[in-house]
Amino acid sequence: MSDDAVKIPAAVSGAGGWLDDRFHGARGVRVLMRKVFPDHWSFMLGEIALWSFVILLLTGTYLALFFVPSMNPIVYHGSYVKLDGIRMSEAYASTLNISFDIRGGLLMRQIHHWAGDLFMVAIMAHMLRVFFTGAYRKPREVNWLIGIVLFTLGMVEGLFGYSLPDDQLSGAGLRITEGVAQGIPIVGTYIAYFLFGGPFPGNSIVPRMYILHVLLIPGLILSLITAHLFIMFHQKHTQMPALGNTEKNVVGQPFWPYFLLKGQAWFFFIFGALAVLGTFAQINPVWLYGPYTPLAISSASQPDFYMGILEGSLRMMPPWEYNFLGHTLSLSVVIPALLPLAIIFTGAALWPFFEQWATGDRSVHNINDRPRNAPVRTGIGMAAVCFYGILWAEGANDVLADKLQIPLYTVTWIARVAIFVVPIGAYFVTKRICLGLQRKDRDLLSHGVEIGIIRQLPSGEFVEEARPLTDEERALVEAKKVPAALPAPGEPDANGVPAPGARGMMGKARAMANRAFTETIVAGDGHGNGHGHGNGHGAVEGGEHAAIGSGEAEGSPEEH
Amino acid sequence: MSEIEEPSAPRRVIGTPPTAPPAVDIRKEPAEPPFDAEPENPRHARNAERLVGALFVLAFLAGCGFIAAYVGLEVGSDRLPAGTNAVDAVLRSNLALGLSLSVALLALGTGSMIWVRHLTPNIEIEEERHDLRSSDADRAAFQKEFAEGAAISQVTRRPIIRRTMLLATAPLALAPLLLLRDLGPLPGTSLRHTVWRKGLRAVTLGGNRPLRPADMDSPGTMITVIPEGYQDDEDALAKAGVILIKFAPGEMSFPNRYDGGTLVATMNWTIDNIVAYSKICTHVGCPVALYEQTTHHILCPCHQSTFDAANGAWVIFGPAPRPLPQLPLMLDADGYLAAASDFTQPVGPSFWERG
Amino acid sequence: MGNRVSSITARRRHPAAGYAAVAGGLVVVGALYSVLSTGGASASAPAQADTSIANGRSLFVQSCSSCHGLDAQGTTQAPSLIGAGAAAVYFQMSTGRMPAKEPGAENNRKPTDFTDQQIYDIAAYIASLGGGPAIPSPEQVSTVGANTALGSQLFSANCAQCHGFAGAGGALTYGKNAAPLTASTPTQIYTAMLTGPEAMPVFGDGVITPAEKRDIIAYIIDTRNEPNPGGLSLGRTGTVTEGLLVWLGGLGFLVLIAMWLTAKRRDHARPESEPLNHE
């Protein structure tokens, strides 16, 4: 055994006592110190977003001390002599000032922009992790919705942020924003004029974006992040399926000191990665773009990557416009502006509730799913990823055409076809892959893990030796909850009217969805189904039923 | 005073079956890790400690380097010695500051990583999850008190209060929306017109020189022009930018086109095989400026809307719904190219009231 | 066994041995390539010595007439050069675009086999057929005293939409590209603007004056020589490469760190000879 506990210095315990006298903290802070955060690398993705946001606040505050959010034109006479004598807005001039006349200014600007990009990357990676492991299920639906709102706010915040310097590239993006706003039916011209304070470009958009970007939206993001973390804290984090992990416990290392130390390391690595990017990778070189003028534009004009999906949908559309009764409806603008993001965000927001409706599963889930054990969810998730990805790639179609030597219109035509074909194909391929992996897991349970030793039997046949699974491996492979099939509705009544719950389109849709969700392969098929192995293998799992995926899971499979 | 009851929980080790869950108070944690702060392998821990120390010292040095770089490397032409390239100075400063910052942070990170992974004992504990759902008794008590409070407030029994409460706050809730009205002027008819008018000369963008047809003698010539006098008016330029394209005789040919009775494109508006189209794309308003003289396509780089300049800017690919508006051209008294009138249709992106 | 093996052979089964071999091979091949490959012919600002139209004609007949016709009148494969002018010849040949490697394809910059004098001779011959824009003199393309700021405005307004804000090039329709401006000499830039090669529009002296052309040239040269104070330029193509880097480099690096941070810890109390199974 060890020595006695460490002696706390009197100053620290004195301060602690002073606080406790006023805040009753001893028991509460003890709970905090004992709190367990499970360890898995994919659980750290959300923290990348958190620390990136902190770095955004720090660097952003620094930049705000020097940035002038005004569109008043001035003539430039600063250090960047290539633009000397050029008429530009004060916002652009102050950005050049930060970059070339203030020590550390360019570094702070670059770290700020890289952190903004990394924030969005982390949110997307984190969101995908939560989705594919089913961590959005009860009781975490509200946190999932908060996350979607944070995603949206992040996009808008980034859009405003990179548009503040009023350079040629971001100004073109604002022009597109104005054109899209103008095209909205009925209220479009009013929205455009109110947003820009008159005709484009006007004098108001930069100061307005500024106050949204530095005050309002960060405030909203900060409060939502606080809520997001508090809920996660209160409900405790999910954990991956493993030996010893149950729905009723959390296994890992305690907050004090492990999580603090790890959090410290993680923060420094994230900040360090951003510092490396800010030092060695030039981002948003506004001095090369030049100040915004409405009659100039560059090839390869793309927004930051998280707006790429909007850009791609604008590029993909055919020219559909309708005139009637003195009005013009421009679907080639309205559809890209509204539809793809609506599909993604509404779909994501409704998904937890759709899954509950389809599976009838309203129990609490604290253990994550392995993606292979939820083929429909994983398949639909991959379809959504492909949908998003194709629109995103199309946003860079001229760069792809230039670098990959594909004709420009061909890239667009490929995208126009792929946007329908690829997500559907991705769903089926992913689902099949998941079912195949489940089959492999089942084989692992029945045959054990092959260990690379080949043995020749007296009969001349070669077999590969296998060892039985360790307890940890078995726990992982067996950890799956097959969603129960919905109880079969009762028989139709004497007049042929089907039972309530199975009636009508909703009932039939629910039954169909339920069948898809419950189609899965249960572990432990027993005697290797015609695999052609000899008998030289390890322990065979006794016979549980296998409902092999073909949609005939009318009787509910046994839960293991 | 300090007599807080705290039912003691049994010590548990991982793997043993849990005892019956304690009472609902979530602040009581049953598990206490066996306390042992000593690392398993003292030699390894000492080496790790030295490595962590070295990394932290490196971070310190890098941090000092950051301060030295800040103090020592100047930027800005007013503080640099004459003749120094300002961009080079920023490059040096950025590299020095950034490198020292990166080294400091990564050293701190690596040091912290090794600290937690190699110096701390490998302890795992188990924390219990309590039901989030409150007990039925708690729920019942909550409902009772809530109902009592509601009854005390009389809201349930005084319909006049209920009904007028919402009424009272409704206008105030709408007031913030109302206050936004003055964000901008109403569009009115301003989207339908540009500043071009009869006799207004076209001047080159950047050079501000008026043009005679002879200045564009080579077929395949293209140039961006703006209305004379408006070079500093960005609001006007955002709608009034025009591209002039010169064709060889016979290369350009298109019929008169009408948009709801109004003539919008005609060869009569060209002068000496020079045609003028709006530079504002009819999709969402980017300057449509890529001109390929071999195919006479005008390509907008934003979303690849493509217009056939020899055919009245007819749309041949991409999301733009309408051809580029054509500006009627004339020669003024001195022989310079000028507008014969404003565009006969609104330029730029479509809008609901366009017609 | 008593044999001594080299340290390389002793380590041939090391897990990283394969990667080291591939990396070493790449380094060797790359070094060889950079040493052995020649750059393009450097066509610097021309000093036009006496040109020989007769020599130009014979060179033309030898190298160009199969597509352009014996009298440069054009054929189905290539246009007439009567009236094209010396400047056009200079641009196309000094950048190696002509002689074209195949008819109909877009012609990209490639090394040229012709000397400067040969190009002048051919250009003089073509100019003698029907006039056309002349090759500018060194004074005409000199950027001394040029207004780079005005050049940036003109470049933005007339050139950036095809060639990119920093001259990195861009895509056109039907598989064509606007070339990057990284290797173009001032005379090549001037003659390109003057003659409008291939799909490029013609920017005659009437619409962009010679002084304005010099301003644009100064801008292009300044920009491509300008260092990138923020680090690597990422191709100066804008946000696409930035997005790729933050996903692959930023997230990729951090995921690896996260895996390190959360990896199962080895039990260092155990003797070295009995390593535990770990993932």
Side-chain angles (χ1 to χ4, degrees):
Chain A
M1 246 337 218
S2 66
D3 303 328
D4 275 345
V6 161
K7 270 194 64 104
I8 306 286
V12 174
S13 56
W18 190 91
L19 288 170
D20 184 60
D21 284 348
R22 289 151 183 76
F23 295 110
H24 190 70
R27 204 191 299 179
V29 178
R30 256 192 80 218
V31 169
L32 168 63
M33 292 197 301
R34 198 66 70 78
K35 212 150 183 49
V36 172
F37 288 89
D39 246 354
H40 191 268
W41 68 263
S42 66
F43 293 169
M44 315 208 62
L45 297 171
E47 281 171 68
I48 301 180
L50 174 67
W51 295 127
S52 300
F53 185 69
V54 168
I55 292 162
L56 282 169
L57 289 177
L58 293 172
T59 51
T61 306
Y62 181 82
L63 293 172
L65 296 172
F66 299 100
F67 180 74
V68 178
S70 161
M71 294 173 83
N72 285 336
I74 59 154
V75 177
Y76 180 71
H77 292 299
S79 297
Y80 190 65
V81 294
K82 206 170 79 182
L83 294 177
D84 187 75
I86 295 278
R87 206 161 165 274
M88 58 176 66
S89 62
E90 286 193 68
Y92 186 80
S94 69
T95 312
L96 290 180
N97 194 44
I98 292 172
S99 305
F100 291 102
D101 289 278
I102 290 172
R103 286 172 286 184
L106 183 63
L107 185 65
M108 290 298 120
R109 257 199 72 223
Q110 301 213 139
I111 292 182
H112 189 76
H113 201 134
W114 281 120
D117 278 358
L118 189 65
F119 179 64
M120 293 306 296
V121 169
I123 288 183
M124 286 165 65
H126 171 66
M127 182 173 158
L128 287 175
R129 193 285 293 168
V130 168
F131 181 83
F132 284 118
T133 53
Y136 54 79
R137 290 175 295 178
K138 181 173 175 180
R140 296 177 175 85
E141 305 97 319
V142 173
N143 235 8
W144 172 254
L145 294 174
I146 291 179
I148 294 176
V149 176
L150 280 169
F151 185 18
T152 318
L153 285 176
M155 279 176 67
V156 176
E157 177 78 346
L159 166 68
F160 289 165
Y162 68 72
S163 302
L164 285 177
D166 196 29
D167 57 275
Q168 193 66 59
L169 181 62
S170 61
L174 284 179
R175 182 37 150 152
I176 295 171
T177 306
E178 195 268 345
V180 168
Q182 193 176 302
I184 293 174
I186 304 174
V187 293
T189 50
Y190 298 95
I191 291 178
Y193 265 56
F194 284 179
L195 192 58
F196 286 85
F200 182 85
N203 233 21
S204 316
I205 187 66
V206 166
R208 285 177 184 174
M209 286 191 304
Y210 182 72
I211 202 63
L212 291 172
H213 179 80
V214 306
L215 183 63
L216 188 62
I217 300 181
L220 286 173
I221 292 181
L222 196 55
S223 15
L224 284 176
I225 287 182
T226 309
H228 196 74
L229 289 177
F230 177 74
I231 293 176
M232 182 268 292
F233 215 71
H234 182 58
Q235 296 178 330
K236 299 185 181 51
H237 202 279
T238 57
Q239 53 187 353
M240 290 301 187
L243 186 64
N245 291 1
T246 69
E247 290 284 353
K248 290 282 185 198
N249 71 2
V250 197
V251 177
Q253 292 173 323
F255 182 86
W256 173 264
Y258 291 92
F259 191 76
L260 273 181
L261 288 174
K262 284 193 226 175
Q264 173 184 309
W266 195 221
F267 171 72
F268 284 125
F269 269 109
I270 292 168
F271 202 171
L274 286 171
V276 168
L277 284 171
T279 310
F280 295 104
Q282 186 165 275
I283 187 169
N284 203 28
V286 293
W287 55 92
L288 292 177
Y289 298 149
Y292 178 66
T293 58
L295 294 180
I297 186 129
S298 167
S299 64
S301 287
Q302 271 85 19
D304 276 12
F305 80 87
Y306 41 87
M307 302 294 289
I309 176 177
L310 285 172
E311 183 69 13
S313 32
L314 279 170
R315 293 179 185 218
M316 190 186 284
M317 281 297 293
W320 294 336
E321 182 172 279
Y322 303 100
N323 306 320
F324 49 89
L325 302 175
H327 296 296
T328 302
L329 175 65
S330 203
L331 287 180
S332 56
V333 167
V334 168
I335 290 182
L338 301 178
L339 194 60
L341 284 182
I343 292 177
I344 302 241
F345 285 138
T346 316
L350 291 180
W351 179 263
F353 308 103
F354 170 75
E355 192 174 298
Q356 283 185 8
W357 175 79
T359 57
D361 180 4
R362 296 216 152 78
S363 56
V364 164
H365 291 277
N366 292 312
I367 300 270
N368 287 325
D369 274 343
R370 300 171 83 199
R372 68 185 66 183
N373 291 335
V376 171
R377 174 199 307 149
T378 307
I380 292 186
M382 284 311 295
V385 165
C386 289
F387 179 74
Y388 188 95
I390 289 170
L391 288 173
W392 184 7
E394 170 68 0
N397 66 352
D398 54 349
V399 177
L400 291 173
D402 187 29
K403 301 295 178 197
L404 301 181
Q405 291 296 310
I406 307 173
L408 190 54
Y409 298 155
T410 307
V411 178
T412 302
W413 273 114
I414 291 175
R416 283 173 176 171
V417 171
I419 195 66
F420 295 106
V421 166
V422 171
I424 296 175
Y427 171 78
F428 285 111
V429 167
T430 307
K431 188 165 163 193
R432 286 294 124 194
I433 293 177
C434 288
L435 292 174
L437 288 169
Q438 287 187 29
R439 219 170 265 127
K440 183 175 141 241
D441 281 348
R442 183 196 62 198
D443 289 349
L444 276 182
L445 281 177
S446 57
H447 297 134
V449 180
E450 288 158 351
I451 53 174
I453 295 177
I454 314 285
R455 193 153 64 83
Q456 186 175 27
L457 301 178
S459 60
E461 185 186 352
F462 286 99
V463 297
E464 186 167 5
E465 294 277 315
R467 62 162 174 84
L469 297 174
T470 63
D471 285 337
E472 280 100 2
E473 290 166 339
R474 177 173 295 276
L476 182 64
V477 169
E478 279 183 341
K480 56 189 277 189
K481 274 228 180 88
V482 180
L486 288 175
E491 291 294 312
D493 67 7
N495 296 322
V497 179
R503 242 187 283 216
M505 279 197 15
M506 287 298 273
K508 290 203 182 61
R510 192 175 188 207
M512 200 164 72
N514 182 250
R515 268 202 300 280
F517 271 91
T518 53
E519 171 189 38
T520 185
I521 297 181
V522 179
D525 180 44
H527 309 280
N529 258 347
H531 286 242
H533 281 235
N535 288 318
H537 46 248
V540 167
E541 187 65 34
E544 288 184 296
H545 302 298
I548 299 183
S550 59
E552 5 162 322
E554 285 307 322
S556 34
E558 265 184 26
E559 295 225 81
H560 55 271
Chain B
M1 195 192 69
S2 56
E3 188 66 10
I4 304 163
E5 344 166 76
E6 186 177 319
S8 67
R11 217 163 241 263
R12 280 175 59 222
V13 178
I14 296 168
T16 59
T19 54
V24 183
D25 188 348
I26 62 165
R27 290 178 288 177
K28 298 184 178 68
E29 293 301 335
E32 276 195 30
F35 178 69
D36 184 355
E38 276 305 308
E40 295 95 2
N41 185 339
R43 214 195 80 231
H44 173 86
R46 253 201 324 281
N47 291 340
E49 184 186 357
R50 290 206 192 105
L51 181 57
V52 172
L55 284 166
F56 283 173
V57 166
L58 176 62
F60 166 75
L61 293 171
C64 294
F66 182 91
I67 297 173
Y70 187 93
V71 171
L73 289 172
E74 279 290 358
V75 301
S77 46
D78 48 346
R79 285 178 297 177
L80 290 166
T84 323
N85 185 325
V87 181
D88 275 333
V90 172
L91 172 64
R92 280 190 295 270
S93 169
N94 194 62
L95 201 53
L97 289 170
L99 193 55
S100 48
L101 183 65
S102 308
V103 168
L105 291 169
L106 291 176
L108 274 163
T110 314
S112 309
M113 173 84 86
I114 294 174
W115 175 3
V116 71
R117 282 183 61 78
H118 292 274
L119 285 177
T120 56
N122 196 0
I123 290 174
E124 248 189 5
I125 64 169
E126 184 180 347
E127 192 188 2
E128 220 168 287
R129 288 186 201 268
H130 303 277
D131 276 346
L132 287 164
R133 189 190 192 286
S134 309
S135 69
D136 288 340
D138 278 344
R139 280 198 177 186
F142 177 91
Q143 279 168 343
K144 178 164 164 292
E145 286 191 22
F146 186 81
E148 278 170 7
I152 291 172
S153 76
Q154 304 287 321
V155 158
T156 48
R157 292 168 45 191
R158 305 283 168 196
I160 298 177
I161 297 180
R162 272 205 318 272
R163 288 168 194 163
T164 55
M165 185 165 70
L166 214 54
L167 198 64
T169 50
L172 292 178
L174 289 176
L177 289 174
L178 201 61
L179 287 167
L180 294 176
R181 159 64 186 90
D182 275 347
L183 274 178
L186 293 178
T189 59
S190 53
L191 283 168
R192 311 197 81 90
H193 310 292
T194 72
V195 297
W196 286 107
R197 57 183 184 278
K198 180 169 180 183
L200 185 54
R201 273 189 205 160
V203 296
T204 58
L205 179 63
N208 287 323
R209 285 174 299 102
L211 292 172
R212 292 200 170 86
D215 293 325
M216 297 181 70
D217 54 352
S218 230
T221 304
M222 181 201 85
I223 192 68
T224 302
V225 293
I226 57 174
E228 189 174 31
Y230 286 90
Q231 63 267 24
D232 289 336
D233 185 347
E234 301 225 321
D235 291 354
L237 292 181
K239 284 194 323 206
V242 160
I243 45 176
L244 297 176
I245 301 174
K246 166 85 176 180
F247 283 96
E251 230 184 336
M252 174 173 50
S253 160
F254 53 92
N256 292 357
R257 294 205 174 102
Y258 295 86
D259 182 359
T262 318
L263 181 65
V264 292
T266 170
M267 299 279 293
N268 295 334
W269 288 343
T270 65
I271 290 193
D272 197 13
N273 293 301
I274 298 172
V275 66
Y277 294 119
S278 167
K279 196 174 182 181
I280 313 301
C281 187
T282 52
H283 180 223
V284 279
C286 287
V288 50
L290 256 127
Y291 180 61
E292 299 176 0
Q293 68 153 313
T294 43
T295 56
H296 37 80
H297 288 349
I298 310 171
L299 176 68
C300 182
C302 286
H303 311 109
Q304 286 82 49
S305 299
T306 313
F307 308 89
D308 187 352
N311 187 11
W314 197 249
V315 179
I316 57 172
F317 188 82
R322 283 169 289 102
L324 296 171
Q326 185 184 358
L327 182 69
L329 285 175
M330 70 180 230
L331 289 176
D332 75 353
D334 300 314
Y336 290 111
L337 288 165
S341 74
D342 193 3
F343 290 95
T344 55
Q345 54 170 326
V347 308
S350 303
F351 49 98
W352 179 250
E353 304 90 333
R354 195 177 190 278
Chain C
M1 296 246 275
N3 290 343
R4 287 186 49 201
V5 296
S6 72
S7 58
I8 293 179
T9 313
R11 286 181 185 66
R12 66 191 183 279
R13 297 251 184 259
H14 192 280
Y19 300 106
V22 171
L26 287 173
V27 166
V28 167
V29 170
L32 278 176
Y33 177 78
S34 59
V35 162
L36 295 176
S37 76
T38 53
S42 66
S44 49
Q48 296 182 47
D50 294 8
T51 56
S52 161
I53 293 179
N55 189 32
R57 176 174 159 79
S58 79
L59 285 166
F60 177 85
V61 164
Q62 202 178 311
S63 313
C64 323
S65 59
S66 52
C67 292
H68 283 288
L70 276 173
D71 297 308
Q73 78 280 14
T75 66
T76 50
Q77 295 199 321
S80 158
L81 297 178
I82 300 174
V89 173
Y90 178 81
F91 175 79
Q92 297 283 1
M93 294 196 72
S94 70
T95 60
R97 286 179 162 85
M98 289 292 154
K101 58 179 193 272
E102 56 177 333
E106 181 185 38
N107 295 304
N108 292 320
R109 174 180 281 268
K110 62 188 197 296
T112 179
D113 293 325
F114 290 84
T115 66
D116 281 354
Q117 189 57 49
Q118 287 172 323
I119 294 174
Y120 298 146
D121 288 346
I122 299 175
Y125 167 66
I126 296 296
S128 73
L129 291 179
I135 302 177
S137 67
E139 295 75 39
Q140 279 181 292
V141 301
S142 159
T143 55
V144 171
N147 183 348
T148 317
L150 178 59
S152 79
Q153 286 185 316
L154 292 166
F155 185 87
S156 284
N158 296 300
C159 322
Q161 69 269 12
C162 292
H163 287 286
F165 59 88
L172 302 174
T173 63
Y174 305 120
K176 303 191 291 292
N177 296 85
L181 302 176
T182 39
S184 318
T185 67
T187 314
Q188 286 166 348
I189 300 172
Y190 195 104
T191 50
M193 283 194 273
L194 196 55
T195 62
E198 310 212 12
M200 179 166 165
V202 175
F203 293 104
D205 286 345
V207 293
I208 295 186
T209 63
E212 288 172 348
K213 286 191 172 68
R214 284 190 285 279
D215 295 337
I216 293 176
I217 292 170
Y219 172 80
I220 293 171
I221 307 279
D222 266 5
T223 302
R224 74 183 186 208
N225 289 338
E226 188 180 286
N228 294 300
L232 299 169
S233 74
L234 304 183
R236 287 187 175 177
T237 39
T239 56
V240 175
T241 39
E242 293 166 7
L244 274 174
L245 181 60
V246 77
W247 271 94
L248 299 176
L251 186 68
F253 169 73
L254 287 172
V255 165
L256 292 174
I257 299 292
M259 288 176 170
W260 180 22
L261 192 56
T262 55
K264 265 210 211 132
R265 292 170 57 173
R266 250 182 310 166
D267 188 352
H268 291 281
R270 280 186 172 261
E272 287 292 307
S273 57
E274 282 186 53
L276 274 181
N277 262 350
H278 46 260
E279 299 292 309

